[in-house]
Amino acid sequence: MFEDFVTYMSQFHNVEHLGKDMEKYLTRVSYPKKHVVVEKGTVCNYVFFLEKGMMRAYYKKADNSEVTTWVLHEKQFVTAIQSFNSREPSLETVETLEPTTLVMVHYDDMMKFCYIFHDFALCMFKLYQHLNVMRYMRNYLVQALKAPDRYDALCKSDPDLVRRVPLRVIASYLDITQETLSRIRKQRMLEGVCLPNVDDSDSEDEESSKK
Protein backbone atom coordinates (compact mmCIF):
# COMPACT_ATOMS: atom_id res chain seq x y z
CA MET A 1 0.00 0.00 0.00
CA PHE A 2 2.93 2.34 0.72
CA GLU A 3 5.59 0.63 -1.38
CA ASP A 4 7.08 3.84 -2.83
CA PHE A 5 7.50 5.26 0.67
CA VAL A 6 9.31 2.15 1.94
CA THR A 7 11.47 1.88 -1.20
CA TYR A 8 12.55 5.51 -0.95
CA MET A 9 13.39 5.18 2.73
CA SER A 10 15.38 2.01 2.09
CA GLN A 11 17.84 3.78 -0.20
CA PHE A 12 19.26 5.44 2.95
CA HIS A 13 19.05 2.35 5.20
CA ASN A 14 17.06 -0.82 4.60
CA VAL A 15 13.65 -0.69 6.31
CA GLU A 16 11.73 -2.96 3.94
CA HIS A 17 11.25 -5.47 6.76
CA LEU A 18 9.39 -2.76 8.71
CA GLY A 19 6.88 -2.01 5.95
CA LYS A 20 3.89 -3.65 7.64
CA ASP A 21 4.73 -2.08 11.00
CA MET A 22 5.00 1.38 9.43
CA GLU A 23 1.62 1.25 7.68
CA LYS A 24 -0.34 1.97 10.87
CA TYR A 25 1.53 5.28 11.23
CA LEU A 26 1.06 6.44 7.62
CA THR A 27 -1.79 8.42 6.07
CA ARG A 28 -2.29 9.23 2.39
CA VAL A 29 -3.88 12.57 1.43
CA SER A 30 -4.45 14.48 -1.82
CA TYR A 31 -4.55 18.25 -2.30
CA PRO A 32 -5.37 20.52 -5.25
CA LYS A 33 -2.96 23.00 -6.82
CA LYS A 34 -2.07 26.02 -4.65
CA HIS A 35 -3.19 24.33 -1.44
CA VAL A 36 -1.39 25.54 1.70
CA VAL A 37 -0.13 22.44 3.53
CA VAL A 38 1.74 24.32 6.27
CA GLU A 39 0.85 27.91 7.02
CA LYS A 40 3.43 30.36 8.33
CA GLY A 41 2.97 30.90 12.06
CA THR A 42 1.61 27.39 12.74
CA VAL A 43 3.50 24.39 14.07
CA CYS A 44 4.22 21.75 11.42
CA ASN A 45 3.26 18.38 12.91
CA TYR A 46 3.93 16.19 9.87
CA VAL A 47 6.66 15.12 7.54
CA PHE A 48 5.39 14.33 4.04
CA PHE A 49 6.50 11.91 1.34
CA LEU A 50 5.63 13.37 -2.04
CA GLU A 51 4.09 10.53 -4.08
CA LYS A 52 2.81 12.73 -6.89
CA GLY A 53 2.95 16.42 -7.67
CA MET A 54 5.14 19.44 -6.90
CA MET A 55 5.53 21.55 -3.75
CA ARG A 56 7.53 24.48 -2.47
CA ALA A 57 8.30 26.41 0.73
CA TYR A 58 8.59 30.19 0.78
CA TYR A 59 8.58 33.27 2.98
CA LYS A 60 7.95 36.94 2.23
CA LYS A 61 10.46 39.75 2.71
CA ALA A 62 9.66 43.22 4.02
CA ASP A 63 8.81 44.42 0.50
CA ASN A 64 6.32 41.51 0.16
CA SER A 65 8.46 39.73 -2.43
CA GLU A 66 8.71 35.96 -2.09
CA VAL A 67 11.79 33.87 -1.42
CA THR A 68 11.37 30.20 -2.32
CA THR A 69 13.59 28.07 -0.09
CA TRP A 70 12.94 24.72 -1.77
CA VAL A 71 11.00 23.17 -4.66
CA LEU A 72 10.54 19.40 -4.82
CA HIS A 73 8.60 16.83 -6.82
CA GLU A 74 7.93 13.09 -6.74
CA LYS A 75 9.77 10.67 -4.46
CA GLN A 76 11.06 13.25 -2.00
CA PHE A 77 10.44 14.07 1.65
CA VAL A 78 9.12 17.55 2.41
CA THR A 79 8.27 19.48 5.58
CA ALA A 80 8.72 22.87 7.23
CA ILE A 81 11.90 21.50 8.73
CA GLN A 82 12.59 24.35 11.19
CA SER A 83 9.10 24.04 12.67
CA PHE A 84 8.90 20.24 12.55
CA ASN A 85 12.19 19.80 14.41
CA SER A 86 11.90 22.66 16.91
CA ARG A 87 8.13 22.34 17.54
CA GLU A 88 7.96 26.11 17.06
CA PRO A 89 5.72 28.10 14.64
CA SER A 90 6.86 27.84 11.03
CA LEU A 91 8.79 30.73 9.51
CA GLU A 92 7.67 29.75 6.02
CA THR A 93 4.62 28.58 4.09
CA VAL A 94 4.52 25.20 2.35
CA GLU A 95 2.16 24.88 -0.62
CA THR A 96 1.41 22.64 -3.59
CA LEU A 97 2.26 23.80 -7.12
CA GLU A 98 0.32 20.98 -8.78
CA PRO A 99 -2.40 18.53 -7.70
CA THR A 100 -0.46 16.54 -5.15
CA THR A 101 -0.65 13.21 -3.30
CA LEU A 102 1.25 12.85 -0.03
CA VAL A 103 1.99 10.16 2.52
CA MET A 104 2.27 11.85 5.91
CA VAL A 105 3.68 10.84 9.29
CA HIS A 106 2.92 12.71 12.52
CA TYR A 107 5.89 13.91 14.59
CA ASP A 108 4.83 11.89 17.65
CA ASP A 109 4.43 8.70 15.61
CA MET A 110 7.81 9.17 13.93
CA MET A 111 9.51 9.65 17.30
CA LYS A 112 7.74 6.57 18.65
CA PHE A 113 8.82 4.49 15.67
CA CYS A 114 12.41 5.72 15.98
CA TYR A 115 12.41 4.68 19.64
CA ILE A 116 11.06 1.21 18.91
CA PHE A 117 13.03 0.36 15.75
CA HIS A 118 16.76 1.09 15.54
CA ASP A 119 16.80 0.57 11.77
CA PHE A 120 14.18 3.28 11.28
CA ALA A 121 16.07 5.71 13.52
CA LEU A 122 19.27 5.11 11.52
CA CYS A 123 17.31 5.56 8.29
CA MET A 124 15.92 8.92 9.48
CA PHE A 125 19.40 10.06 10.52
CA LYS A 126 20.75 9.34 7.03
CA LEU A 127 17.69 10.97 5.45
CA TYR A 128 18.32 14.13 7.46
CA GLN A 129 21.91 14.12 6.27
CA HIS A 130 20.61 14.00 2.71
CA LEU A 131 18.19 16.89 3.33
CA ASN A 132 20.96 19.00 4.86
CA VAL A 133 23.17 18.43 1.81
CA MET A 134 20.30 19.45 -0.48
CA ARG A 135 19.75 22.66 1.52
CA TYR A 136 23.48 23.43 1.43
CA MET A 137 23.59 22.94 -2.35
CA ARG A 138 20.66 25.35 -2.80
CA ASN A 139 22.50 27.97 -0.71
CA TYR A 140 25.66 27.39 -2.73
CA LEU A 141 23.70 27.78 -5.96
CA VAL A 142 22.37 31.18 -4.88
CA GLN A 143 25.43 32.59 -3.17
CA ALA A 144 28.36 31.34 -5.25
CA LEU A 145 27.08 31.44 -8.83
CA LYS A 146 26.09 34.29 -11.14
CA ALA A 147 22.45 34.42 -12.26
CA PRO A 148 22.92 32.72 -15.68
CA ASP A 149 25.01 29.99 -14.08
CA ARG A 150 22.32 29.39 -11.42
CA TYR A 151 19.73 28.81 -14.13
CA ASP A 152 22.06 26.57 -16.14
CA ALA A 153 22.94 24.52 -13.05
CA LEU A 154 19.26 24.03 -12.20
CA CYS A 155 18.47 22.98 -15.78
CA LYS A 156 21.24 20.40 -15.60
CA SER A 157 20.45 19.05 -12.12
CA ASP A 158 16.64 18.99 -12.35
CA PRO A 159 15.23 19.64 -15.86
CA ASP A 160 11.83 18.25 -14.84
CA LEU A 161 11.51 20.97 -12.20
CA VAL A 162 12.45 23.67 -14.72
CA ARG A 163 9.74 22.43 -17.09
CA ARG A 164 6.94 22.16 -14.50
CA VAL A 165 7.44 25.05 -12.06
CA PRO A 166 6.04 28.52 -12.91
CA LEU A 167 8.73 30.99 -13.93
CA ARG A 168 7.99 33.37 -11.03
CA VAL A 169 8.75 30.51 -8.61
CA ILE A 170 11.96 29.56 -10.44
CA ALA A 171 13.08 33.21 -10.26
CA SER A 172 12.26 33.29 -6.55
CA TYR A 173 14.12 30.01 -5.94
CA LEU A 174 17.22 31.26 -7.80
CA ASP A 175 17.01 34.66 -6.05
CA ILE A 176 16.78 36.63 -9.27
CA THR A 177 14.08 38.89 -10.71
CA GLN A 178 11.60 37.60 -13.26
CA GLU A 179 13.01 40.11 -15.73
CA THR A 180 16.51 38.70 -15.29
CA LEU A 181 15.20 35.16 -15.74
CA SER A 182 13.38 36.23 -18.90
CA ARG A 183 16.59 37.69 -20.36
CA ILE A 184 18.53 34.54 -19.50
CA ARG A 185 15.90 32.30 -21.12
CA LYS A 186 15.80 34.47 -24.27
CA GLN A 187 19.56 34.12 -24.60
CA ARG A 188 19.33 30.35 -24.12
CA MET A 189 16.57 30.23 -26.76
CA LEU A 190 18.90 31.97 -29.22
CA GLU A 191 21.50 29.34 -28.38
CA GLY A 192 18.92 26.58 -28.85
CA VAL A 193 19.34 25.18 -25.35
CA CYS A 194 16.42 26.67 -23.41
CA LEU A 195 14.15 24.15 -21.72
CA PRO A 196 10.38 24.63 -22.24
CA ASN A 197 8.30 25.75 -19.27
CA VAL A 198 4.66 25.37 -18.24
CA ASP A 199 4.24 29.15 -18.58
CA ASP A 200 5.31 29.08 -22.24
CA SER A 201 2.02 27.54 -23.36
CA ASP A 202 0.09 30.25 -21.49
CA SER A 203 2.10 32.94 -23.29
CA GLU A 204 1.42 31.28 -26.65
CA ASP A 205 -2.31 31.14 -25.86
CA GLU A 206 -2.30 34.86 -25.02
CA GLU A 207 -0.55 35.69 -28.27
CA SER A 208 -3.02 33.59 -30.26
CA SER A 209 -5.99 35.33 -28.63
CA LYS A 210 -4.62 38.74 -29.66
CA LYS A 211 -4.51 37.75 -33.34
Side-chain angles (χ1 to χ4, degrees), residues 5-51:
F5 175 90
V6 175
T7 299
Y8 178 82
M9 294 285 288
S10 292
Q11 71 178 304
F12 302 104
H13 183 75
N14 186 17
V15 291
E16 291 185 358
H17 57 293
L18 301 177
K20 291 295 182 181
D21 296 297
M22 282 192 283
E23 285 188 3
K24 69 181 78 172
Y25 298 99
L26 305 177
T27 304
R28 181 178 283 109
V29 294
S30 294
Y31 295 120
K33 180 179 178 180
K34 295 184 179 179
H35 178 83
V36 174
V37 179
V38 180
E39 189 169 359
K40 178 184 176 181
T42 65
V43 176
C44 177
N45 289 316
Y46 292 90
V47 63
F48 307 92
F49 176 68
L50 221 171
E51 279 193 331

Coordinates of all heavy atoms in Angstrom, one line a residue, residues 5-51:
F5 N 7.0 4.7 -0.6 CA 7.5 5.3 0.7 C 8.6 4.4 1.2 O 9.7 4.9 1.6 CB 6.4 5.4 1.7 CG 6.8 5.9 3.0 CD1 6.9 7.2 3.3 CD2 7.2 5.0 4.0 CE1 7.3 7.7 4.6 CE2 7.6 5.4 5.3 CZ 7.6 6.8 5.6
V6 N 8.3 3.1 1.4 CA 9.3 2.2 1.9 C 10.5 2.0 1.0 O 11.7 2.0 1.5 CB 8.7 0.8 2.2 CG1 9.7 -0.2 2.7 CG2 7.5 0.9 3.1
T7 N 10.3 2.0 -0.3 CA 11.5 1.9 -1.2 C 12.4 3.1 -1.1 O 13.6 3.0 -1.1 CB 11.0 1.7 -2.6 OG1 10.2 0.5 -2.7 CG2 12.1 1.6 -3.6
Y8 N 11.8 4.3 -1.0 CA 12.5 5.5 -1.0 C 13.4 5.5 0.3 O 14.6 5.8 0.3 CB 11.6 6.7 -1.0 CG 12.4 8.0 -0.9 CD1 13.0 8.6 -2.0 CD2 12.5 8.7 0.4 CE1 13.7 9.8 -1.8 CE2 13.2 9.9 0.5 CZ 13.8 10.4 -0.6 OH 14.5 11.6 -0.4
M9 N 12.7 5.2 1.4 CA 13.4 5.2 2.7 C 14.6 4.2 2.7 O 15.6 4.5 3.3 CB 12.4 4.8 3.8 CG 11.3 5.8 4.1 SD 11.9 7.2 5.0 CE 12.2 6.6 6.6
S10 N 14.4 3.1 2.1 CA 15.4 2.0 2.1 C 16.6 2.3 1.3 O 17.7 1.6 1.4 CB 14.8 0.7 1.6 OG 13.8 0.2 2.5
Q11 N 16.6 3.4 0.5 CA 17.8 3.8 -0.2 C 18.9 4.4 0.8 O 20.0 4.5 0.5 CB 17.5 4.7 -1.3 CG 17.1 6.1 -0.9 CD 16.9 7.1 -2.1 OE1 17.8 7.3 -2.9 NE2 15.7 7.6 -2.2
F12 N 18.4 4.9 1.9 CA 19.3 5.4 2.9 C 19.7 4.4 3.9 O 20.8 4.3 4.4 CB 18.6 6.6 3.7 CG 18.1 7.7 2.7 CD1 16.8 7.8 2.4 CD2 19.1 8.6 2.2 CE1 16.4 8.8 1.5 CE2 18.7 9.6 1.3 CZ 17.4 9.7 1.0
H13 N 18.8 3.5 4.3 CA 19.0 2.3 5.2 C 17.9 1.4 5.1 O 16.7 1.8 5.1 CB 19.2 2.8 6.7 CG 19.6 1.6 7.6 ND1 20.8 1.1 7.6 CD2 18.8 0.9 8.5 CE1 20.9 0.1 8.5 NE2 19.7 0.0 9.0
N14 N 18.1 0.1 4.9 CA 17.1 -0.8 4.6 C 16.0 -0.9 5.7 O 16.3 -1.3 6.9 CB 17.7 -2.2 4.3 CG 16.6 -3.2 3.9 OD1 15.5 -2.8 3.5 ND2 16.9 -4.5 4.0
V15 N 14.8 -0.6 5.4 CA 13.6 -0.7 6.3 C 12.5 -1.5 5.7 O 11.4 -1.4 6.2 CB 13.1 0.7 6.8 CG1 14.2 1.4 7.7 CG2 12.8 1.6 5.6
E16 N 12.8 -2.2 4.6 CA 11.7 -3.0 3.9 C 11.1 -4.0 4.9 O 9.9 -4.2 4.8 CB 12.3 -3.7 2.7 CG 12.7 -2.7 1.6 CD 13.1 -3.4 0.3 OE1 13.2 -4.6 0.4 OE2 13.4 -2.7 -0.7
H17 N 11.8 -4.5 5.8 CA 11.3 -5.5 6.8 C 10.3 -4.8 7.8 O 9.6 -5.5 8.5 CB 12.4 -6.2 7.5 CG 13.3 -5.3 8.2 ND1 14.1 -4.4 7.6 CD2 13.5 -5.1 9.6 CE1 14.8 -3.7 8.5 NE2 14.5 -4.1 9.7
L18 N 10.3 -3.5 7.8 CA 9.4 -2.8 8.7 C 8.1 -2.2 8.0 O 7.4 -1.5 8.6 CB 10.2 -1.6 9.4 CG 11.4 -1.9 10.2 CD1 12.1 -0.7 10.7 CD2 11.0 -2.9 11.3
G19 N 8.0 -2.6 6.7 CA 6.9 -2.0 6.0 C 5.5 -2.2 6.6 O 4.7 -1.2 6.7
K20 N 5.2 -3.4 7.0 CA 3.9 -3.7 7.6 C 3.7 -2.9 8.9 O 2.6 -2.4 9.3 CB 3.7 -5.2 7.9 CG 3.6 -6.0 6.6 CD 2.3 -5.6 5.8 CE 2.1 -6.5 4.6 NZ 0.9 -6.1 3.8
D21 N 4.8 -2.8 9.7 CA 4.7 -2.1 11.0 C 4.5 -0.6 10.8 O 3.8 0.1 11.6 CB 6.0 -2.3 11.8 CG 6.2 -3.7 12.2 OD1 5.4 -4.3 13.0 OD2 7.2 -4.4 11.8
M22 N 5.1 -0.1 9.7 CA 5.0 1.4 9.4 C 3.6 1.8 9.0 O 3.2 2.9 9.2 CB 6.1 1.8 8.4 CG 7.4 1.9 9.0 SD 8.6 2.8 7.8 CE 8.9 1.4 6.6
E23 N 2.9 0.9 8.3 CA 1.6 1.3 7.7 C 0.6 1.9 8.7 O -0.1 2.8 8.3 CB 1.0 0.0 7.0 CG 1.6 -0.4 5.7 CD 0.9 -1.5 5.0 OE1 -0.2 -1.9 5.5 OE2 1.3 -1.9 4.0
K24 N 0.6 1.4 9.9 CA -0.3 2.0 10.9 C -0.1 3.4 11.2 O -0.9 4.1 11.7 CB -0.3 1.1 12.1 CG 1.0 1.2 13.0 CD 0.9 0.3 14.2 CE 1.2 -1.1 13.8 NZ 1.4 -2.0 15.0
Y25 N 1.2 3.9 10.9 CA 1.5 5.3 11.2 C 1.4 6.2 10.0 O 1.7 7.4 10.2 CB 3.0 5.3 11.7 CG 3.2 4.6 13.0 CD1 3.8 3.3 13.0 CD2 2.9 5.1 14.2 CE1 4.0 2.6 14.1 CE2 3.1 4.4 15.4 CZ 3.6 3.1 15.3 OH 3.8 2.4 16.5
L26 N 1.1 5.7 8.9 CA 1.1 6.4 7.6 C -0.4 6.8 7.2 O -1.3 6.0 7.3 CB 1.8 5.6 6.5 CG 3.2 5.2 6.8 CD1 3.7 4.4 5.6 CD2 4.1 6.4 7.1
T27 N -0.5 8.0 6.6 CA -1.8 8.4 6.1 C -1.6 9.0 4.7 O -0.6 9.8 4.5 CB -2.4 9.5 7.0 OG1 -2.6 8.9 8.3 CG2 -3.8 9.9 6.5
R28 N -2.4 8.7 3.7 CA -2.3 9.2 2.4 C -3.4 10.3 2.2 O -4.5 10.1 2.5 CB -2.4 8.1 1.3 CG -2.3 8.7 -0.1 CD -2.4 7.5 -1.1 NE -1.2 6.8 -1.2 CZ -1.0 5.5 -0.8 NH1 -2.0 4.9 -0.2 NH2 0.1 4.9 -1.0
V29 N -2.9 11.5 1.7 CA -3.9 12.6 1.4 C -3.6 13.2 0.1 O -2.5 13.0 -0.5 CB -3.8 13.7 2.5 CG1 -4.2 13.2 3.9 CG2 -2.3 14.2 2.6
S30 N -4.6 13.8 -0.5 CA -4.5 14.5 -1.8 C -4.9 15.9 -1.7 O -5.9 16.2 -1.0 CB -5.2 13.8 -2.9 OG -4.7 12.5 -3.2
Y31 N -4.2 16.8 -2.3 CA -4.5 18.2 -2.3 C -4.6 18.8 -3.7 O -3.8 18.4 -4.6 CB -3.5 19.0 -1.5 CG -3.5 18.6 0.0 CD1 -2.3 18.1 0.6 CD2 -4.6 18.8 0.8 CE1 -2.3 17.8 1.9 CE2 -4.6 18.5 2.2 CZ -3.5 18.0 2.7 OH -3.4 17.6 4.0
P32 N -5.4 19.9 -4.0 CA -5.4 20.5 -5.3 C -4.2 21.5 -5.4 O -3.4 21.7 -4.4 CB -6.7 21.3 -5.2 CG -6.9 21.6 -3.8 CD -6.4 20.4 -3.0
K33 N -4.0 22.0 -6.6 CA -3.0 23.0 -6.8 C -3.2 24.2 -5.9 O -4.3 24.6 -5.7 CB -3.0 23.4 -8.3 CG -2.0 24.4 -8.7 CD -2.1 24.7 -10.2 CE -1.1 25.7 -10.7 NZ -1.3 25.9 -12.2
K34 N -2.1 24.8 -5.5 CA -2.1 26.0 -4.6 C -2.7 25.8 -3.3 O -3.2 26.8 -2.7 CB -2.7 27.2 -5.4 CG -2.0 27.6 -6.6 CD -2.6 28.9 -7.3 CE -1.8 29.3 -8.5 NZ -2.5 30.5 -9.1
H35 N -2.7 24.6 -2.8 CA -3.2 24.3 -1.4 C -2.1 24.6 -0.4 O -0.9 24.1 -0.6 CB -3.7 22.9 -1.3 CG -4.2 22.5 0.0 ND1 -5.5 22.8 0.5 CD2 -3.6 21.9 1.1 CE1 -5.6 22.4 1.7 NE2 -4.5 21.8 2.1
V36 N -2.4 25.3 0.6 CA -1.4 25.5 1.7 C -1.4 24.3 2.6 O -2.4 24.1 3.3 CB -1.7 26.8 2.5 CG1 -0.8 27.0 3.7 CG2 -1.6 28.0 1.6
V37 N -0.3 23.6 2.7 CA -0.1 22.4 3.5 C 0.4 22.8 4.9 O -0.1 22.3 5.9 CB 0.8 21.4 2.9 CG1 1.0 20.2 3.8 CG2 0.3 21.0 1.5
V38 N 1.3 23.8 5.0 CA 1.7 24.3 6.3 C 1.7 25.8 6.2 O 2.3 26.4 5.3 CB 3.2 23.9 6.6 CG1 3.6 24.5 7.9 CG2 3.3 22.4 6.6
E39 N 1.0 26.5 7.0 CA 0.8 27.9 7.0 C 1.9 28.5 8.0 O 2.1 28.0 9.1 CB -0.6 28.3 7.5 CG -0.8 29.8 7.2 CD -2.3 30.1 7.4 OE1 -3.1 29.2 7.7 OE2 -2.7 31.3 7.3
K40 N 2.5 29.6 7.5 CA 3.4 30.4 8.3 C 2.8 30.7 9.7 O 1.6 31.2 9.7 CB 3.9 31.6 7.6 CG 4.9 32.5 8.4 CD 5.2 33.7 7.7 CE 6.1 34.6 8.6 NZ 6.5 35.9 8.0
G41 N 3.5 30.6 10.7 CA 3.0 30.9 12.1 C 2.3 29.7 12.8 O 1.9 29.9 13.9
T42 N 2.2 28.6 12.1 CA 1.6 27.4 12.7 C 2.7 26.3 12.9 O 3.7 26.4 12.2 CB 0.5 26.8 11.9 OG1 1.0 26.3 10.6 CG2 -0.6 27.8 11.6
V43 N 2.5 25.4 13.8 CA 3.5 24.4 14.1 C 3.3 23.3 13.1 O 2.1 22.8 12.9 CB 3.4 23.9 15.5 CG1 4.4 22.7 15.7 CG2 3.7 25.0 16.5
C44 N 4.3 22.9 12.4 CA 4.2 21.8 11.4 C 4.3 20.4 12.2 O 5.4 20.1 12.8 CB 5.3 21.9 10.4 SG 5.3 20.5 9.2
N45 N 3.3 19.6 12.2 CA 3.3 18.4 12.9 C 3.6 17.2 12.1 O 3.6 16.0 12.6 CB 1.9 18.2 13.6 CG 1.7 19.2 14.7 OD1 2.6 19.4 15.5 ND2 0.5 19.8 14.8
Y46 N 3.8 17.3 10.8 CA 3.9 16.2 9.9 C 5.2 16.3 9.0 O 5.5 17.4 8.6 CB 2.7 16.0 9.0 CG 1.4 15.6 9.7 CD1 0.6 16.6 10.2 CD2 1.1 14.3 9.9 CE1 -0.6 16.2 10.9 CE2 0.0 13.9 10.6 CZ -0.9 14.9 11.1 OH -2.0 14.5 11.8
V47 N 5.7 15.2 8.6 CA 6.7 15.1 7.5 C 5.9 14.4 6.4 O 5.1 13.5 6.7 CB 8.0 14.4 7.9 CG1 7.7 12.9 8.3 CG2 9.0 14.5 6.8
F48 N 6.2 14.8 5.2 CA 5.4 14.3 4.0 C 6.3 13.7 3.0 O 7.4 14.2 2.7 CB 4.7 15.5 3.4 CG 3.8 16.3 4.3 CD1 4.4 17.5 4.9 CD2 2.5 16.0 4.6 CE1 3.6 18.3 5.7 CE2 1.7 16.8 5.4 CZ 2.3 17.9 6.0
F49 N 5.8 12.5 2.5 CA 6.5 11.9 1.3 C 5.7 12.2 0.1 O 4.5 12.0 0.0 CB 6.6 10.4 1.5 CG 7.2 9.7 0.3 CD1 8.5 9.8 0.0 CD2 6.4 8.8 -0.4 CE1 9.0 9.2 -1.1 CE2 6.9 8.2 -1.5 CZ 8.2 8.3 -1.9
L50 N 6.3 12.9 -0.9 CA 5.6 13.4 -2.0 C 5.5 12.2 -3.1 O 6.4 11.9 -3.8 CB 6.4 14.5 -2.6 CG 5.7 15.8 -3.1 CD1 6.6 16.9 -3.4 CD2 4.8 15.5 -4.3
E51 N 4.3 11.6 -3.1 CA 4.1 10.5 -4.1 C 3.9 11.1 -5.5 O 4.3 10.5 -6.5 CB 2.9 9.7 -3.7 CG 3.1 8.7 -2.6 CD 2.0 7.7 -2.4 OE1 0.8 8.0 -2.7 OE2 2.3 6.6 -2.0

